[in-house]
Amino acid sequence: MGTNYRPQPPFRGGGTPAPSRTADRYFELKGEIHRKLIGVLNMERVSSIPKERVRAEIGRVVERLLEDERVPMTTAEQNKIVEEVLDEVLGLGPLEPLLKEPSISDILVNGSGKVYIERNGKLALTAVRFRDNAHLLHIIEKIVSQVGRRIDEAQPIVDARLPDGSRVNAIIPPLALDGPALSIRRFGRHVITSEEMLGNHTLTQGMLQFLAACVEARVTVLISGGTGSGKTTMLNALSRFIPEEERIITIEDTAELQLQQRHVVKMETRPASVNKEGAINQRQLVRTALRMRPDRIIVGECRGPEALDMLQAMNTGVEGSMSTVHANSPRDAFSRLEAMVLMADLEMPSRVVIQQLASAIKVVVQLSRLQDGSRKILSIAEVTGVKDERIQMQEIFTFDRVGVTDAGKVQGRFHGAGVAPRVLDRLRVAGIKLPPAVFEDTLAVNL
Ligand SMILES: Nc1ncnc2c1ncn2[C@@H]1O[C@H](COP(=O)(O)OP(=O)(O)O)[C@@H](O)[C@H]1O
Ligand SMILES: [Mg+2]
């Protein structure tokens, strides 16, 4: 990938100039055409022309300007410049071809010279370049002004949502040291389904059957893992097992969940405005959600004091709520939640917090991104109680790593612990029967 977007140098003959020189001259020519175009364009008139015609009309002007330059080039090269100048004037410049590509899920720009994309879960450097950091900054300003925000030295960080639902985060100097950094996480990007997760060995059929049953029976499931381990993806996949008739409220900092049910209210936090006013955090949204008669509340990621409100919600009837937490093991997940709850209410004795966590959260799913880039559930554990102020857990499913193949693929084995989980009683009450074979499931991976 990447080479598709390399600006094809229109200059031929007269020896072969160094690629960077060629690229410089290419940018120069494009910049020149762009400047001239701005000079002759009547922007007011442009905005009054129907959108479909704008491209065609401006395209003709660019072609004329290009002819005036008298630079020898093929029709294909000329068309390319016309397209790129149009992208610059009407769109987001060098980002346009990437934005038009639906298979690209993330676009990550680290300064003018490095543009990465993620597609099919893989990150790759592209040949897309900005002229310089000022050009990149200009495009960032264009993005944030579209959504009524601004970015400058006084306000060097912007987190915003584009009209199409994509999330944009930009940070500029002096906070970003190597030039402006921009991340675009596209909305509507393909979310990996549970079937695909079975296919790529994120989990086994038995694990999925068990988790689906838990979700359906309103057993609270917590998803734990590091950054990029696939927590949000798993939450999305599991949320599909929530029965259609339930009222679901989702709360996120960045709306990523794509629930299929009809009865969903989506909420998103809001950062403070330029005047440091108007911030709405997850905790406020959880409290609001509780007054909205939810059947379930899904908090995209628990990071702070909202943990307390979630906990109280779960212990007072909003069962089957779900969330994720950034942690390296189920035990670590509980310590983090405990710390978050204690931060929210310093008066609450730790003993009480632990008791409440143990009674609210029944199942913890531990995800990890392994060294070969694959995501796996390393453990599904259930909470069995509290002893000596420690939450007791037992593993129901585990992935044991054995080694690595010559090709660098992680080898291992998924296996059930062979014990019937206590939560089975809850499932049975809800009318769900799981055959014992589910918990004896084993699956060899790359062995
Ligand atoms: N089970 C999976 N199999 C393959 N790729 C995955 C899986 N889960 C997530 N990914 C990839 O990893 C990226 C990060 O996943 P995400 O769920 O956002 O992680 P987290 O919420 O833990 O930070 C996603 O864009 C997706 O492409
Ligand atoms: Mg996430």
Side-chain angles (χ1 to χ4, degrees):
M1 143 77 261
T3 44
N4 301 356
Y5 303 119
R6 190 186 303 279
Q8 290 304 318
F11 311 100
R12 297 259 171 76
T16 345
S20 63
R21 289 279 325 246
T22 319
D24 283 351
R25 288 169 63 196
Y26 179 79
F27 273 127
E28 251 169 54
L29 175 66
K30 229 169 62 182
E32 186 63 28
I33 299 284
H34 187 192
R35 265 191 302 281
K36 285 192 176 156
L37 178 67
I38 298 296
V40 299
L41 270 193
N42 177 340
M43 275 325 238
E44 247 165 63
R45 203 181 90 73
V46 168
S47 54
S48 70
I49 310 176
K51 263 211 163 73
E52 325 73 80
R53 271 179 47 213
V54 167
R55 265 193 105 87
E57 294 220 354
I58 299 182
R60 273 195 291 281
V61 180
V62 175
E63 273 168 35
R64 251 196 350 263
L65 290 172
L66 213 47
E67 275 157 26
D68 294 347
E69 294 291 319
R70 298 187 180 286
V71 183
M73 59 176 84
T74 65
T75 316
E77 288 163 347
Q78 184 174 338
N79 288 344
K80 191 161 170 53
I81 290 219
V82 172
E83 279 303 307
E84 290 184 10
V85 172
L86 280 171
D87 283 346
E88 199 64 48
V89 177
L90 303 172
L92 300 178
L95 297 178
E96 280 301 321
L98 304 180
L99 291 167
K100 285 189 192 110
E101 191 66 57
S103 64
I104 296 175
S105 52
D106 295 341
I107 303 172
L108 310 164
V109 184
N110 312 352
S112 61
K114 285 199 205 107
V115 180
Y116 290 86
I117 56 166
E118 178 171 308
R119 130 194 290 174
N120 307 325
K122 288 210 182 61
L123 208 56
L125 182 64
T126 69
V128 173
R129 300 279 178 278
F130 291 82
R131 198 163 51 242
D132 47 30
N133 281 338
H135 181 205
L136 171 56
L137 180 61
H138 173 73
I139 298 291
I140 291 176
E141 282 168 344
K142 220 166 157 176
I143 295 174
V144 304
S145 70
Q146 270 178 15
V147 290
R149 308 277 292 278
R150 72 168 208 245
I151 190 161
D152 52 33
E153 269 196 30
Q155 176 81 14
I157 301 179
V158 168
D159 194 25
R161 191 143 40 83
L162 297 186
D164 75 349
S166 300
R167 288 301 305 211
V168 171
N169 184 278
I171 174 160
I172 63 170
L175 300 190
L177 300 184
D178 296 322
L182 172 70
S183 331
I184 302 180
R185 304 203 73 189
R186 317 250 335 249
F187 182 75
R189 51 208 219 117
H190 172 69
V191 222
I192 296 164
T193 61
S194 43
E195 281 71 37
E196 288 169 85
M197 289 190 195
L198 291 174
N200 71 15
H201 297 150
T202 302
L203 78 178
T204 65
Q205 188 74 54
M207 292 159 98
L208 181 60
Q209 252 179 294
F210 174 68
L211 291 175
C214 289
V215 171
E216 201 189 323
R218 297 174 149 255
V219 171
T220 299
V221 175
L222 177 70
I223 299 169
S224 160
T227 305
S229 59
K231 300 183 296 296
T232 305
T233 307
M234 185 60 67
L235 185 59
N236 233 328
L238 294 184
S239 69
R240 311 247 156 135
F241 300 107
I242 298 175
E244 177 68 41
E245 66 277 6
E246 293 190 22
R247 175 168 164 82
I248 310 167
I249 300 182
T250 68
I251 294 169
E252 296 172 274
D253 277 333
T254 301
E256 288 180 283
L257 294 173
Q258 299 180 24
L259 269 62
Q260 301 300 300
Q261 289 83 349
R262 255 176 295 142
H263 201 155
V264 181
V265 180
K266 294 175 66 166
M267 304 203 276
E268 195 178 62
T269 58
R270 185 172 69 185
S273 71
V274 179
N275 319 322
K276 311 221 177 341
E277 287 165 359
I280 305 283
N281 61 28
Q282 293 203 134
R283 181 168 204 189
Q284 289 165 286
L285 292 182
V286 172
R287 289 177 166 185
T288 302
L290 285 169
R291 295 187 207 110
M292 296 168 67
R293 209 223 131 242
D295 286 316
R296 311 219 192 191
I297 300 177
I298 300 183
V299 172
E301 183 170 344
C302 250
R303 305 175 203 269
E306 67 277 2
L308 173 62
D309 305 82
M310 271 299 269
L311 188 58
Q312 286 170 349
M314 291 169 183
N315 278 330
T316 51
V318 195
E319 289 173 331
S321 292
M322 291 196 265
S323 190
T324 73
V325 66
H326 187 282
N328 299 322
S329 68
R331 183 152 301 289
D332 182 30
F334 278 112
S335 327
R336 283 178 191 247
L337 285 180
E338 186 190 339
M340 290 176 206
V341 172
L342 288 173
M343 268 193 305
D345 183 355
L346 297 171
E347 308 284 292
M348 206 160 158
S350 168
R351 176 176 47 79
V352 175
V353 178
I354 290 170
Q355 195 63 54
Q356 289 205 359
L357 283 170
S359 73
I361 298 167
K362 286 290 160 235
V363 172
V364 182
V365 174
Q366 182 65 42
L367 277 160
S368 179
R369 183 177 184 278
L370 304 185
Q371 65 261 43
D372 60 0
S374 66
R375 275 84 173 178
K376 287 207 189 321
I377 294 186
L378 293 190
S379 158
I380 298 180
E382 78 168 333
V383 174
T384 54
V386 179
K387 201 174 156 205
D388 301 331
E389 299 197 3
R390 269 171 81 85
I391 290 179
Q392 305 294 303
M393 282 180 267
Q394 81 174 358
E395 296 234 314
I396 305 174
F397 295 97
T398 315
F399 179 76
D400 282 331
R401 279 180 263 195
V402 202
V404 179
T405 65
D406 291 342
K409 293 280 178 199
V410 171
Q411 299 172 295
R413 193 173 277 111
F414 284 107
H415 60 89
V419 294
R422 300 191 183 185
V423 78
L424 272 186
D425 292 338
R426 274 278 294 272
L427 301 185
R428 224 172 279 127
V429 170
I432 303 169
K433 288 195 196 74
L434 288 178
V438 163
F439 304 101
E440 288 152 18
D441 205 19
T442 70
L443 180 74
V445 180
N446 300 320
L447 280 174

